[in-house]
Amino acid sequence: MDTLTTEERSERMRRVRAKNTSPEKTVRLIVHQLGFRFRLHRRDLPGSPDLAFISKRKAVFVHGCFWHRHGVRCPLTRMPKSKRRFWGAKFETNKTRDRRSQRQLRALGWKYLVVWECQLRDIERLRNKLRRFLLG
Ligand SMILES: [Zn+2]
């Protein structure tokens, strides 16, 4: 008998998936299948983007919804119930760092796309999004 709540179930499924493959690896695989070549975590670029397409001057960030605070409507962006002040400060630091990296990339003439963890629930849609970004 299945006695898990919806929340427990999705938490469990998230762990299972995370064990097999990370969101970042899935995005790499999709982009590779689309036929694009890329570099990983270039430290000479602001924010060390997860994927960098040097000649196109385009970058892709794969963001975990929890750490990078996707937004209130995202089911994975839950707020921990304890130590809220601690988490709040941590999340602010992450968001500030993300904004700064993205601003610096734009200033260098780069375009970037943020792929959120929860967008991996619809691979076909994500594939189209990545294709549009990389061809556009
Ligand atoms: Zn999300």
Side-chain angles (χ1 to χ4, degrees):
M1 200 169 72
D2 193 355
T3 53
L4 296 176
T5 65
T6 309
E7 201 174 328
E8 284 166 341
R9 196 175 300 116
S10 66
E11 178 68 34
R12 184 167 294 187
M13 287 180 58
R14 187 155 62 241
R15 271 200 230 114
V16 169
R17 197 182 53 197
K19 204 183 283 177
N20 294 331
T21 179
S22 68
E24 192 190 325
K25 280 188 186 151
T26 305
V27 171
R28 280 190 217 166
L29 187 67
I30 294 170
V31 172
H32 183 75
Q33 285 171 344
L34 288 171
F36 295 99
R37 295 177 61 86
F38 49 87
R39 307 300 294 270
L40 300 175
H41 308 289
R42 285 284 294 248
R43 284 169 171 271
D44 55 338
L45 290 171
S48 304
D50 296 301
L51 285 74
F53 305 81
I54 309 294
S55 61
K56 292 175 179 294
R57 299 175 90 77
K58 287 180 183 177
V60 171
F61 293 96
V62 185
H63 279 181
C65 297
F66 179 75
W67 285 105
H68 295 268
R69 308 319 282 168
H70 186 190
V72 287
R73 276 183 297 174
C74 171
L76 306 182
T77 314
R78 71 216 190 301
M79 188 67 174
K81 289 191 171 62
S82 61
K83 296 204 282 182
R84 280 173 181 260
R85 191 174 293 179
F86 166 81
W87 287 109
K90 218 166 178 53
F91 293 148
E92 255 336 288
T93 308
N94 287 349
K95 281 198 290 188
T96 304
R97 193 190 302 123
D98 289 343
R99 278 195 297 265
R100 188 176 53 230
S101 307
Q102 291 160 359
R103 200 170 50 236
Q104 288 171 342
L105 267 179
R106 272 200 304 272
L108 291 170
W110 280 62
K111 292 193 169 110
Y112 66 86
L113 175 72
V114 175
V115 173
W116 293 96
E117 180 187 1
C118 63
Q119 292 174 335
L120 273 81
R121 289 171 171 185
D122 189 343
I123 295 292
E124 207 41 53
R125 191 172 177 182
L126 177 59
R127 194 196 313 277
N128 288 330
K129 197 182 175 89
L130 284 160
R131 188 193 286 124
R132 270 198 309 276
F133 171 69
L134 292 168
L135 290 176

